[in-house]
Amino acid sequence: MDVGVVVVAAGQGKRMGRGYNKQFIPLGDRPLLVHTLQVFERMANIAHVVLVTGEEDLARCQALCRAYNLTKVSDIVAGGETRQESTRCGLARIRAEWVLVHDGARPFVTEVVVADLIASMRTYGAAVLAVPVKDTIKKVNAEGFVESTPPREQLWAVQTPQAFCTAELQRAHEQAAALGIDVTDDAMLMERMGRDVYVVRGDYDNIKLTTPEDVYIAETILHKRRPEE
């Protein structure tokens, strides 16, 4: 029970086009965010969860946690202007030696994959989930021309959770804030500190819901996992 989780759910989700935080989109019989939180609720080796959301959504998240008996959510805090700032707000409330940082809009991460991630985190000190890319990737310049084609076997699409020593990640965030560095990926901050980050094979179902098309895919995944829904 020495692992805490920061679930970042403070984004506006403008690309979803719903006019409200995408974390509350209905998915099956419950909101998207609830699916995500329930994964960690079921895991015996998770000590507690810090949920980061928008200031305007604090009361709604508190009500959801009560309604779905999400007892591991120990804190619900307001995030910042960027994902990095929001993660930093959540890290301040973590009371465990190790921390997972997860996107609230990734509801399909499995307990098995998270267990593999935690094992690698303990071995290597820092680990992320990722899957090999399926497409050929082109690097394109500002004028729209192809600059290069990286070898596909070296390219992986990174997912969350990402797993770290809590104290190390806190220091990385403090350094980034002091230097005015802003990234969208916590592993990048650790890489800047010289920390090697181990890659754990993830799951292609562990999608992040960003656009309306993603909702249709999510409903298909949910039905595959829970045919009764």
Side-chain angles (χ1 to χ4, degrees):
M1 294 287 285
D2 58 349
V3 181
V5 183
V6 174
V7 173
V8 185
Q12 294 299 310
K14 294 179 180 178
R15 283 178 287 178
M16 191 63 73
R18 295 292 184 107
Y20 59 89
N21 191 328
K22 65 182 177 182
Q23 312 293 336
F24 304 117
I25 290 173
L27 191 59
D29 63 349
R30 69 206 72 165
L32 162 61
L33 180 59
V34 172
H35 286 276
T36 302
L37 293 173
Q38 285 178 330
V39 174
F40 301 109
E41 184 74 23
R42 292 189 294 264
M43 294 194 67
N45 55 354
I46 297 299
H48 68 116
V49 176
V50 176
L51 174 59
V52 186
T53 189
E55 183 81 39
E56 68 280 6
D57 293 322
L58 289 172
R60 188 172 185 179
C61 286
Q62 291 165 355
L64 281 179
C65 289
R66 289 192 298 269
Y68 290 92
N69 196 31
L70 297 169
T71 59
K72 286 192 178 179
V73 178
S74 59
D75 296 270
I76 303 175
V77 300
E81 292 296 320
T82 66
R83 185 188 188 280
Q84 182 172 308
E85 290 177 6
S86 293
T87 302
R88 190 181 179 197
C89 292
L91 282 172
R93 301 294 186 94
I94 289 292
R95 303 183 302 277
E97 180 181 359
W98 301 94
V99 63
L100 309 183
V101 181
H102 187 60
D103 297 320
R106 289 187 189 270
F108 297 122
V109 66
T110 66
E111 296 176 56
V112 171
V113 169
V114 173
D116 289 344
L117 179 71
I118 290 174
S120 294
M121 171 190 68
R122 295 188 191 281
T123 301
Y124 301 106
V128 298
L129 291 181
V131 291
V133 300
K134 297 180 179 181
D135 300 319
T136 297
I137 305 298
K138 301 287 187 181
K139 182 179 179 182
V140 181
N141 64 24
E143 288 72 40
F145 292 97
V146 173
E147 285 189 348
S148 62
T149 304
R152 186 168 61 184
E153 62 271 15
Q154 296 180 2
L155 300 176
W156 289 62
V158 177
Q159 304 175 335
T160 66
Q162 298 186 353
F164 312 97
C165 168
T166 303
E168 282 192 354
L169 186 59
Q170 288 172 335
R171 284 198 300 271
H173 272 270
E174 289 166 3
Q175 289 182 11
L179 295 172
I181 297 170
D182 186 63
V183 299
T184 58
D185 176 67
D186 292 283
M188 290 177 64
L189 295 181
M190 300 300 285
E191 292 160 24
R192 284 176 175 271
M193 289 182 63
R195 161 65 72 181
D196 291 332
V197 179
Y198 187 76
V199 175
V200 178
R201 177 69 178 253
D203 185 337
Y204 286 105
D205 281 356
N206 184 21
I207 64 170
K208 182 179 180 181
L209 276 67
T210 302
T211 66
E213 293 78 14
D214 296 330
V215 178
Y216 299 124
I217 297 171
E219 289 172 346
T220 299
I221 295 171
L222 183 64
H223 181 71
K224 178 180 69 174
R225 293 186 174 188
R226 300 176 178 176
E228 70 279 4
E229 295 189 14

